[in-house]
């Protein structure tokens, strides 16, 4: 019910005139700032959670990749290739897949 009343107050912005009281204008401004704050908090929270998910996915993938590389017989000869994969290829996976995935999934 409170959200409905806030919506009605926000929609009443066109009803302001020179007879409107300062209290009505102040209430409208307070509600507008509150809604603005909630929206930007939600945007920031989404970004924080997306970054946390990407970090956890990166850790999981890199841990399993490093474990697989260490258990290989030719680990010493392939070390430069492994380092290249860790620093270059995983960053490409992050930017081209994970970030894109988390940007487009919420839109559906």
């Amino acid at each position: 019910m409170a959200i409905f009343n806030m919506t009605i107050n926000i929609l009443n912005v066109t009803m302001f005139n020179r007879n409107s009281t300062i209290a009505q204008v102040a209430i409208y401004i307070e509600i507008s700032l509150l809604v603005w704050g909630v929206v930007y908090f939600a945007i920031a929270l989404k970004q924080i959670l997306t970054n946390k998910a990407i970090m956890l996915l990166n850790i999981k993938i890199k841990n399993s990749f490093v474990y697989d590389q260490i258990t290989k017989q030719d680990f010493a000869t392939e070390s430069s290739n492994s380092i290249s994969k860790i620093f270059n290829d995983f960053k490409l996976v992050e930017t081209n897949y994970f970030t894109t995935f988390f940007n487009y999934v919420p839109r559906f």
Side-chain angles (χ1 to χ4, degrees):
M1 189 67 168
I3 294 174
F4 179 74
N5 289 337
M6 282 193 324
T7 306
I8 296 300
N9 285 337
I10 291 172
L11 294 176
N12 287 338
V13 69
T14 59
M15 301 179 90
F16 287 130
N17 57 30
R18 71 174 96 164
N19 296 328
S20 297
T21 64
I22 292 181
Q24 290 173 321
V25 174
I27 289 172
Y28 175 76
I29 291 171
E30 288 172 357
I31 291 171
S32 299
L33 290 175
L34 177 69
V35 170
W36 178 79
V38 167
V39 167
Y40 277 95
F41 176 76
I43 290 170
L45 184 62
K46 177 197 171 273
Q47 190 62 42
I48 290 168
L49 293 175
T50 298
N51 290 341
K52 181 74 171 177
I54 289 172
M55 180 190 74
L56 293 174
L57 287 168
N58 275 330
I59 289 171
K60 182 72 174 169
I61 287 174
K62 287 178 184 176
N63 282 343
S64 94
F65 176 78
V66 168
Y67 178 77
D68 289 342
Q69 292 300 311
I70 290 173
T71 57
K72 278 186 173 181
Q73 295 294 333
D74 58 347
F75 174 67
T77 59
E78 296 284 324
S79 62
S80 64
N81 191 21
S82 298
I83 291 171
S84 172
K85 283 183 184 174
I86 289 174
F87 286 110
N88 297 327
D89 296 348
F90 286 134
K91 186 63 179 172
L92 289 172
V93 168
E94 176 186 330
T95 56
N96 293 337
Y97 178 72
F98 292 151
T99 306
T100 305
F101 176 78
F102 285 115
N103 283 335
Y104 288 110
V105 165
R107 295 180 185 187
F108 291 112

